[in-house]
């Protein structure tokens, strides 16, 4: 699984400039939460921090006294640390959020039933358990859709197939284990900001391809993606059609002990070429402890 994450981080390593709008939106959300909840300060934890392209690192440094960044890819963490101005505030930790990454072999020559059999032997046991102390602020940096899907969804499986259902159910188990640890790591008055890419808008003018969620979202917003927060019922309809990205849906078990505070919906302009445009619709959900 490390190989998949390393390739993804390598592919996006040079996106600092093109992801500036995402960093700006994240900063605006932090500012809003500082007003509605309490000023962000103290000790922060970033999950799936990667190369650091999607957060304003200097803003982080100005807000927090200690910042722990976690990722399975040490090269990405090194890339993140190259961008910081105050390294004494940071602690970089290579952790496997699933707890079984080194138990997953190359799946290319395995059949779907064989992979389902493998899944049934894997036990989620996040290495977040090794962290000590509690945090004032925890942010998930769009990591939940990257943990299982990119490794296990290798083919164009049909939504609702036995294999896809098995992978999605396993993903939920992994995330429920992670959120168990997050609840324990969050201070009683702390804030958890769960950010995840939830829908994909993907078009290719050369092939004519358009991802299933693209047209409904564009029609509902009339092409103005600043209006995403106004079309929540549309997102509910798309979710009912199983058009969410695997790993993006929160379950009631994940939210045990957490109290919902706010939802932000923003566009992540992930990729744009002469023929391809890929935009992820990110849901950022703020929670406190109950």
């Amino acid at each position: 699984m490390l190989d998949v994450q390393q390739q993804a981080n390598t592919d996006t390593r040079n996106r600092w400039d093109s992801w500036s709008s995402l960093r700006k939106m994240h900063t605006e959300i932090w500012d809003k939460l500082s007003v509605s909840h309490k000023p962000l300060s103290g000790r922060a934890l970033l999950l799936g921090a990667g190369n650091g392209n999607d957060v304003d690192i200097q803003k982080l440094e100005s807000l927090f006294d200690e910042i722990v960044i976690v990722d399975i890819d040490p090269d990405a963490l090194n890339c993140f640390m190259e961008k910081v101005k105050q390294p004494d505030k940071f602690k970089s930790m290579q952790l496997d959020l699933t707890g079984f990454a080194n138990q997953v072999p190359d799946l290319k020559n395995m059949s779907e039933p064989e992979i389902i059999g493998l899944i049934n032997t894997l036990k989620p046991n996040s290495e977040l358990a090794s962290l000590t102390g509690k945090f004032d602020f925890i942010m998930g940096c769009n990591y939940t859709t990257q943990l299982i899907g990119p490794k296990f969804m290798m083919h164009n499986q049909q939504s609702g197939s036995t294999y896809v259902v098995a992978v999605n159910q396993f993903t939920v188990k992994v995330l429920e284990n992670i959120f168990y640890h997050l609840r324990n790591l969050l201070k009683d008055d702390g804030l958890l900001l769960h950010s995840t890419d939830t829908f994909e808008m993907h078009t290719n003018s050369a092939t004519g391809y358009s991802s299933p969620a693209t047209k409904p979202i564009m029609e509902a917003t009339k092409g103005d993606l600043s209006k995403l927060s106004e079309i929540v019922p549309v997102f509910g309809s798309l979710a009912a059609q199983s058009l969410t990205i695997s790993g993006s849906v929160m379950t009631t078990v994940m939210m045990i002990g957490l109290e919902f505070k706010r939802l932000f919906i923003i566009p992540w302009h992930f990729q744009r070429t002469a023929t391809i445009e890929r935009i992820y619709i990110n849901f950022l959900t703020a929670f406190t402890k109950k």
Side-chain angles (χ1 to χ4, degrees):
M1 293 172 69
L2 173 59
D3 58 333
V4 175
Q5 298 304 318
Q6 287 181 318
Q7 186 60 56
N9 285 324
T10 298
D11 291 344
T12 59
R13 188 148 294 159
N14 297 319
R15 298 276 176 88
W16 176 261
D17 291 336
S18 61
W19 289 3
S20 61
S21 65
L22 179 64
R23 292 194 299 275
K24 182 174 183 291
M25 287 185 283
H26 282 164
T27 300
E28 290 171 352
I29 289 171
W30 296 345
D31 289 342
K32 290 176 181 177
L33 291 172
S34 288
V35 173
S36 64
H37 177 58
K38 70 171 188 176
L40 300 183
S41 63
R43 194 167 186 242
L45 170 65
L46 298 188
L47 303 173
N51 300 308
N53 288 339
D54 50 354
V55 291
D56 184 334
I57 295 173
Q58 278 64 63
K59 178 73 171 181
L60 279 174
E61 292 173 326
S62 72
L63 291 172
F64 300 102
D65 300 319
E66 181 185 356
I67 304 149
V68 179
I69 59 173
V70 167
D71 203 281
I72 196 173
D73 180 2
D75 294 334
L77 290 171
N78 290 336
C79 182
F80 189 116
M81 290 301 297
E82 289 172 359
K83 299 182 175 78
V84 310
K85 302 292 185 184
Q86 302 179 59
D88 291 345
K89 286 194 171 189
F90 287 83
K91 183 177 182 180
S92 171
M93 300 186 68
Q94 181 188 6
L95 294 181
D96 171 15
L97 295 178
T98 70
F100 54 74
N102 61 1
Q103 301 175 41
V104 179
D106 189 340
L107 306 179
K108 291 179 182 177
N109 296 319
M110 295 178 65
S111 67
E112 290 185 356
E114 288 173 332
I115 296 174
I116 291 174
L118 169 66
I119 285 173
N120 291 333
T121 69
L122 298 174
K123 305 299 181 185
N125 186 25
S126 177
E127 292 182 356
L128 286 172
S130 66
L131 293 179
T132 58
K134 293 184 181 290
F135 294 88
D136 299 278
F137 179 68
I138 299 176
M139 180 172 178
C141 301
N142 303 306
Y143 70 93
T144 61
T145 57
Q146 302 305 306
L147 292 176
I148 305 300
K151 180 70 175 183
F152 286 86
M153 299 291 195
M154 300 174 299
H155 314 292
N156 293 320
Q157 291 94 353
Q158 292 296 313
S159 175
S161 71
T162 300
Y163 181 80
V164 170
V165 169
V167 172
N168 286 339
Q169 289 176 342
F170 180 58
T171 301
V172 167
K173 290 182 181 179
V174 172
L175 296 181
E176 289 176 349
N177 176 257
I178 289 172
F179 269 74
Y180 166 79
H181 292 289
L182 295 183
R183 288 191 295 275
N184 292 334
L185 289 168
L186 188 65
K187 286 186 177 180
D188 288 343
D189 61 346
L191 188 71
L192 168 63
L193 183 61
H194 177 61
S195 177
T196 180
D197 42 323
T198 305
F199 297 97
E200 181 187 45
M201 298 174 63
H202 179 193
T203 57
N204 186 324
S205 60
T207 64
Y209 173 77
S210 178
S211 62
T214 300
K215 184 178 179 181
I217 293 174
M218 291 300 289
E219 289 181 346
T221 60
K222 296 182 172 57
D224 182 358
L225 296 185
S226 68
K227 299 184 181 299
L228 290 172
S229 61
E230 301 175 13
I231 64 164
V232 171
V234 174
F235 293 128
S237 174
L238 295 177
Q241 299 172 57
S242 300
L243 295 182
T244 52
I245 300 171
S246 180
S248 65
V249 176
M250 293 197 69
T251 66
T252 54
V253 172
M254 292 166 65
M255 292 184 281
I256 290 174
L258 298 174
E259 182 174 343
F260 169 81
K261 289 299 180 180
R262 295 188 68 174
L263 172 65
F264 304 90
I265 307 175
I266 63 174
W268 178 10
H269 295 272
F270 185 85
Q271 179 186 22
R272 177 176 289 174
T273 69
T275 58
I276 296 174
E277 183 169 30
R278 193 189 304 267
I279 301 170
Y280 289 109
I281 307 303
N282 282 12
F283 281 45
L284 294 92
T285 314
F287 297 97
T288 57
K289 271 191 171 180
K290 285 186 176 178

